[in-house]
Amino acid sequence: MSYKVKDIKLAAQGSLRIQWAENEMPVLKIIKEEFKKAQPFENVNIAACLHVTKETAVLMKVLQAGGARVSLCGSNPLSTQDDVAAALAKEGMDVFAIKGVSNKEYYECLNKALDIKPNITIDDGADLISLIHNERREVLKTVWGGQEETTTGVIRLKAMAKDGALKYPVVAVNDTPTKHMFDNYYGTGQSTIDAILRATNILLAGKKVAVAGYGYCGSGAALRARGLGAHVIVTEVDPVRALKAVMDGFYVATMQEAAKLGDVFITATGDKDVITKKHMALMKDRAILCNTGHFNVEINVDDLKKMAKARKSFNENVEEYVLPSGRRIYLLSEGRLVNLAAAEGHPSSVMDMSFADQALTAAFIAKNYKKLSPGVLNVPEEIDVKVAKLKLQSMGAKIDILTPEQKKYLSSWQEGT
Ligand code: ADE
């Protein structure tokens, strides 16, 4: 057993926070009991590169209960909750994660996590898979399959598969409905606004909030910003998504136009250079910029640094940049994913579903890996249905069941007008 955490003395506080999350994660609780009996991961090593949060801790314990030996590293330099990492290390788990690590230390942690010779990898952003394919190719001998948690990671993996570079099967957990329809929409929506408020405590009512990207994440953030009384502007490159935003009642504009109007900017596109110097030059005094996409490429922070004639930190998550015009721009959490850097990430209750998908997918890989081929695969539908049913049950919601006549009607074509 080994670990690299900030301070092992934070373990007691971390354990309490993990308990708090557990109470909000009833689906994982049921799966844990099933795994305890069935032991799907007997002699299985799992390396996970995830945001080290209290919710991730609950997932790791579920995998352990199923017999797995697990190792965990962070999936972003700023998202680790140091008390949670300490609690897991104290319990004997291999954990390599510290909030605020440099890029070099970040990759040292990933490399350590791979030392257990994983049979299954779990990624959030595909960094572990990239590392295995670029530098740690010996892992390809032991690995059976992988899983990917986020949209950005799935995009990277599909690019790898297209190039014929992906050497093992990876299940795109992000793409299953019980993940992206809830985690990306309600989770990102709430946690992004939570982070902006924790960092700045500004009043959103009456502010102009520009949201870049109207996918599941951006539309969730737009919905919640509007809920607090903001006037929301949406920027998009996809005509269908832009149209949806218009019909959802948002003002749709180019970033060039939004730059002049916004008080707060939230990027949620997954692409680079969404906000660059040409936009920053147009912004109002005291505009706030933040990113909720996976990588810190959406706001061109280098542009901001080069333009600024002075800089000052207001707190851990708010950096002021003074432009030559005298106008000030506030950048939150260095342009890294604000919801995990300045807040606690998505609420446990929604991570319950995403991580139930992850846990059941890991069991699926352990059972079926011999039948799977390299490439990007979908989560089996039974897993999605099971997670939805368990979540509904935990929320006390009952649903109707099709009668035999209704089922027959849906599978026939003879009955018409
Ligand atoms: N991604 C977004 N929110 C998260 C959380 N609370 N835990 C782990 N990964 C996350």
Side-chain angles (χ1 to χ4, degrees), residues 51 53 55-56 124 149 183 191 339-340 344-347 351 355:
H51 302 299
T53 63
E55 293 75 28
T56 296
D124 187 328
E149 164 82 2
D183 170 313
S191 61
N339 59 336
L340 280 136
E344 291 174 69
H346 302 353
M351 293 312 294
F355 284 164

Side-chain angles (χ1 to χ4, degrees), residues 208-260:
K208 293 197 174 62
V209 174
V211 178
Y214 203 68
Y216 281 98
C217 296
S219 54
L223 174 82
R224 293 305 179 221
R226 176 160 67 187
L228 285 173
H231 303 282
V232 178
I233 305 160
V234 170
T235 75
E236 247 304 340
V237 292
D238 179 316
V240 178
R241 287 182 176 182
L243 187 57
K244 175 85 169 78
V246 172
M247 293 209 188
D248 284 348
F250 295 107
Y251 181 66
V252 172
T254 60
M255 184 54 84
Q256 196 74 8
E257 184 186 353
K260 295 180 215 148

Side-chain angles (χ1 to χ4, degrees), residues 149-152 174-176 178-192 215-221 346 350-351 354:
E149 164 82 2
T150 200
T151 317
T152 299
N174 177 73
D175 292 359
T176 209
T178 51
K179 198 281 178 178
H180 63 256
M181 281 173 63
F182 303 90
D183 170 313
N184 301 23
Y185 187 61
Y186 300 106
T188 308
Q190 181 167 322
S191 61
T192 303
Y216 281 98
C217 296
S219 54
H346 302 353
V350 84
M351 293 312 294
S354 313

Side-chain angles (χ1 to χ4, degrees), residues 10-19 54 83-85 87:
L10 296 171
Q13 183 192 315
S15 297
L16 285 173
R17 290 185 56 244
I18 296 169
Q19 265 179 46
K54 57 191 188 305
D83 55 349
V84 168

Side-chain angles (χ1 to χ4, degrees), residues 33-173:
E33 290 311 311
E34 289 176 5
F35 280 3
K36 269 188 196 160
K37 287 195 199 106
Q39 291 294 291
F41 307 119
E42 204 183 342
N43 299 319
V44 178
N45 290 352
I46 303 180
C49 178
L50 294 170
H51 302 299
V52 179
T53 63
K54 57 191 188 305
E55 293 75 28
T56 296
V58 178
L59 171 64
M60 293 296 110
K61 285 159 153 252
V62 170
L63 299 175
Q64 271 187 330
R69 177 174 174 213
V70 299
S71 68
L72 174 64
C73 58
S75 60
N76 185 284
L78 281 190
S79 64
T80 296
Q81 297 172 3
D82 288 316
D83 55 349
V84 168
L88 293 175
K90 182 104 194 210
E91 287 180 25
M93 196 181 287
D94 291 357
V95 185
F96 312 99
I98 296 180
K99 182 167 184 170
V101 282
S102 64
N103 237 37
K104 182 168 168 277
E105 290 166 317
Y106 174 76
Y107 276 100
E108 277 166 14
C109 289
L110 266 65
N111 270 302
K112 286 240 170 242
L114 289 180
D115 288 343
I116 62 161
K117 300 192 172 71
N119 306 112
I120 296 174
T121 59
I122 305 183
D123 258 297
D124 187 328
D127 281 344
L128 215 50
I129 292 183
S130 290
L131 185 63
I132 292 171
H133 284 75
N134 290 330
E135 289 172 33
R136 296 288 301 269
R137 291 186 75 87
E138 83 281 2
V139 177
L140 293 173
K141 292 195 193 109
T142 56
V143 79
W144 302 332
Q147 306 173 204
E148 172 54 51
E149 164 82 2
T150 200
T151 317
T152 299
V154 173
I155 292 169
R156 283 177 96 185
L157 291 168
K158 287 191 173 155
M160 279 177 86
K162 197 163 162 238
D163 277 356
L166 184 59
K167 298 297 175 207
Y168 63 91
V170 185
V171 181
V173 173

